[in-house]
Amino acid sequence: MKINFIGGGNMARAIIGGLKQNGFAMSDITVLEPDAQKRTELAQDLNVQVTDTYAEFRNTDVIVLAVKPQQLKEVCQQLNPALTSQLVVSIAAGVRSKDMSTWLNHYQGIVRVMPNTPAQIQAGVSALYAMPQVTQTQREQATTILAAVGKTLWLDDEAKMDAVTAISGSGPAYVFYFIEALQAAGVALGLKDEEANMLALQTFAGASLLATQSNTDVKTLRAQVTSKGGTTEQGILTLESANIKHIVAQAAKAAADKSVTLGDLLGQ
């Protein structure tokens, strides 16, 4: 499988790095990057081929669009003449496949992906949606590429991408926000900054690892920590009285609604 990336930013680097760790031949990857300094760094750091033109894009299997959403329409228009039967994979947030198809002269071989930032350490999760004309082989190619940076989840309805954006796309920020709050609480209770930071970070890391590796659901895991009449119960009761679950649901709804709005705007 030959893969061409358009854009050599953080997410493209993460995917290429994951593929490299999985033994993928770097000689089969080409990155189109307009910035000369970035091209030099990509070639040196990852041993990939680099270019600043679309000339080689006819002779590839998969084209990964790794540019900012606002740049995607222009990129699609430039890519148009090179398309024959390649799979086009977009990791540009918010842009719907039907709009990309329109910009690509109604090309149908498109997979839209929503990754998240833990992909930078191969611990991400990516939701994928394929247009109906995408073949099973092409779906497997897309899975291979995104599995290099974490788990993959195929969606049967592109409308679910807005929910994915709210949960896993924006989700890391919610986690970091809660870590910040727990660190600040530790300092307020008399811990040093470094002590509070270490305890909060390791607690989140350990609890997340336990939840992913355990056969027990998270509700039960939480109950197992919450002894009747104990300290944890008192903390949980405070969270419940503040209706934190409802607030989290509201935050996710706001993020999903914004995703819909941005999709409408970017598709114009």
Side-chain angles (χ1 to χ4, degrees):
M1 176 170 55
K2 291 188 179 296
I3 309 172
N4 283 29
F5 285 78
I6 301 179
N10 290 337
M11 193 58 72
R13 277 178 162 269
I15 294 171
I16 295 168
L19 288 167
K20 186 175 185 179
Q21 285 190 15
N22 288 354
F24 194 90
M26 293 295 97
S27 58
D28 287 333
I29 295 178
T30 300
V31 182
L32 188 159
E33 170 54 59
D35 186 284
Q37 179 62 34
K38 288 183 179 179
R39 286 199 302 274
T40 300
E41 292 171 355
L42 285 161
Q44 290 176 345
D45 297 345
L46 296 168
N47 298 318
V48 295
Q49 312 301 308
V50 292
T51 183
D52 61 353
T53 74
Y54 290 82
E56 300 175 29
F57 279 59
R58 289 184 179 274
N59 303 312
T60 192
D61 300 301
V62 182
I63 299 168
V64 180
L65 307 178
V67 297
K68 294 178 180 178
Q70 296 82 356
Q71 299 173 311
L72 195 56
K73 184 175 183 179
E74 180 183 349
V75 166
C76 286
Q77 290 168 343
Q78 293 185 62
L79 178 62
N80 233 329
L83 289 180
T84 54
S85 60
Q86 307 96 317
L87 172 65
V88 176
V89 175
S90 171
I91 61 173
V95 184
R96 297 166 186 149
S97 58
K98 67 178 180 61
D99 295 317
M100 284 183 275
S101 179
T102 299
W103 301 335
L104 293 170
N105 197 25
H106 304 293
Y107 194 77
Q108 300 290 303
I110 297 171
V111 168
R112 178 185 169 191
V113 182
M114 182 68 215
N116 65 357
T117 54
Q120 295 176 27
I121 57 167
Q122 287 78 56
V125 59
S126 300
L128 302 90
Y129 171 79
M131 295 191 78
Q133 291 79 3
V134 173
T135 68
Q136 182 59 35
T137 296
Q138 289 175 325
R139 289 171 71 98
E140 291 168 2
Q141 289 172 331
T143 298
T144 296
I145 293 168
L146 274 304
V149 290
K151 302 288 186 181
T152 58
L153 173 67
W154 280 96
L155 303 178
D156 56 5
D157 181 356
E158 188 174 7
K160 292 180 181 179
M161 275 292 186
D162 298 314
V164 168
T165 300
I167 301 304
S168 62
S170 301
Y174 311 153
V175 173
F176 300 147
Y177 188 88
F178 203 95
I179 292 173
E180 282 183 81
L182 206 56
Q183 289 171 338
V187 172
L189 289 169
L191 295 171
K192 295 178 181 178
D193 284 347
E194 60 272 21
E195 294 171 335
N197 291 352
M198 189 275 275
L199 289 171
L201 286 169
Q202 191 55 44
T203 296
F204 260 83
S208 296
L209 196 60
L210 176 60
T212 55
Q213 294 186 1
S214 175
N215 293 324
T216 305
D217 63 86
V218 291
K219 183 177 181 180
T220 302
L221 288 173
R222 191 256 300 163
Q224 288 173 351
V225 186
T226 313
S227 302
K228 189 70 174 174
T231 58
T232 305
E233 183 186 55
Q234 198 61 46
I236 291 291
L237 287 173
T238 303
L239 293 174
E240 288 288 306
S241 67
N243 213 359
I244 292 299
K245 285 185 179 179
H246 178 65
I247 292 172
V248 171
Q250 284 185 311
K253 175 74 163 53
D257 289 346
K258 184 66 172 182
S259 178
V260 173
T261 301
L262 288 175
D264 293 338
L265 182 64
L266 291 166
Q268 292 176 0

